[in-house]
Amino acid sequence: MSDTPITVVHGLWNRGPEAWVLRRRLRRYCQRQVLQFSYETVSRSFAANVDRMVEFIDAKEAGPVDIVAHSMGGLLVLAACDKLPAGRLGRIVLLGSPLRGSLAARRMARFGALGRWLVGGSLTALVEGIPPPAADSLEIGVIAGSKAMGMGRVLGPMDGVSDGTVCLAETRLDGVTDELVLPVSHTGMLFSDIVA
């Protein structure tokens, strides 16, 4: 069993319990400790959640922590990368994260106060996306979905291939170590054996 723990980071409107299948599979397949980082996705600002993530990782034993982050959780992870000392993060896997900004979030923003209430303090990050971390040495993998079933479609048609919430083009990040597109929906990633 490896000493490097895996931390799972949930996305918007979630709290962590929805990722229990993913955590269980990661434990079984990787034979490692799997932790859950939970945060207030709407009521707390994006910057405050990034700071909480940095504190969470800093509180762990010395050595690297591997991360598996779903959706908006991936934005938090990338924002935290530049705030953590070198060597604290090991491998990072992002599942359906709208790294270049989210069409669905832009559509929600058009709802004015209602859209801001639904997305809360993370609206700007979701609309604009997040720049790649400064550290070139990070190993970052991206898994995107191609099964267009999800809440994003309720807001209108998606551009090109999508997982129903995030477009494939939105998951792209310059300098990633590896990218993979699987026939899963945005939420389905959390329950997919092949994703785990």
Side-chain angles (χ1 to χ4, degrees), residues 108-154:
M108 275 201 215
R110 289 188 211 142
F111 294 147
L114 175 62
R116 287 189 299 278
W117 178 77
L118 286 170
V119 182
S122 298
L123 183 63
T124 301
L126 284 168
V127 166
E128 296 175 3
I130 198 96
D136 293 344
S137 60
L138 288 171
E139 288 184 77
I140 301 173
V142 172
I143 298 178
S146 62
K147 189 172 187 177
M149 290 174 44
M151 286 297 294
R153 296 192 63 199
V154 172

Side-chain angles (χ1 to χ4, degrees), residues 40-151:
E40 300 291 333
T41 67
V42 175
S43 63
R44 192 172 276 134
S45 74
F46 184 79
N49 282 326
V50 170
D51 289 342
R52 285 196 65 234
M53 176 176 279
V54 169
E55 290 170 12
F56 177 86
I57 293 170
D58 273 343
K60 301 300 162 216
E61 294 177 19
V65 174
D66 289 343
I67 306 272
V68 175
H70 180 243
S71 197
M72 188 178 82
L75 304 182
L76 283 178
V77 171
L78 292 188
C81 285
D82 294 331
K83 294 184 166 212
L84 286 161
R88 283 306 281 148
L89 292 175
R91 292 181 170 147
I92 299 168
V93 178
L94 307 175
L95 309 177
S97 294
L99 306 172
R100 294 182 180 262
S102 164
L103 173 64
R106 287 191 293 280
R107 287 176 174 162
M108 275 201 215
R110 289 188 211 142
F111 294 147
L114 175 62
R116 287 189 299 278
W117 178 77
L118 286 170
V119 182
S122 298
L123 183 63
T124 301
L126 284 168
V127 166
E128 296 175 3
I130 198 96
D136 293 344
S137 60
L138 288 171
E139 288 184 77
I140 301 173
V142 172
I143 298 178
S146 62
K147 189 172 187 177
M149 290 174 44
M151 286 297 294

Side-chain angles (χ1 to χ4, degrees), residues 155-179:
L155 300 170
M158 305 297 287
D159 295 337
V161 176
S162 80
D163 63 13
T165 300
V166 175
C167 300
L168 177 59
E170 296 169 344
T171 67
R172 303 288 192 206
L173 184 71
D174 295 335
V176 298
T177 307
D178 203 359
E179 295 174 280

Side-chain angles (χ1 to χ4, degrees), residues 32-45:
R32 290 160 63 185
Q33 178 185 24
V34 179
L35 310 169
Q36 175 71 54
F37 172 73
S38 294
Y39 60 100
E40 300 291 333
T41 67
V42 175
S43 63
R44 192 172 276 134
S45 74

Side-chain angles (χ1 to χ4, degrees), residues 19-36:
W20 74 271
V21 171
L22 176 63
R23 290 193 308 271
R24 189 182 78 196
R25 286 179 171 150
L26 290 173
R27 258 186 226 104
R28 187 173 69 226
Y29 295 150
C30 301
Q31 295 295 302
R32 290 160 63 185
Q33 178 185 24
V34 179
L35 310 169
Q36 175 71 54

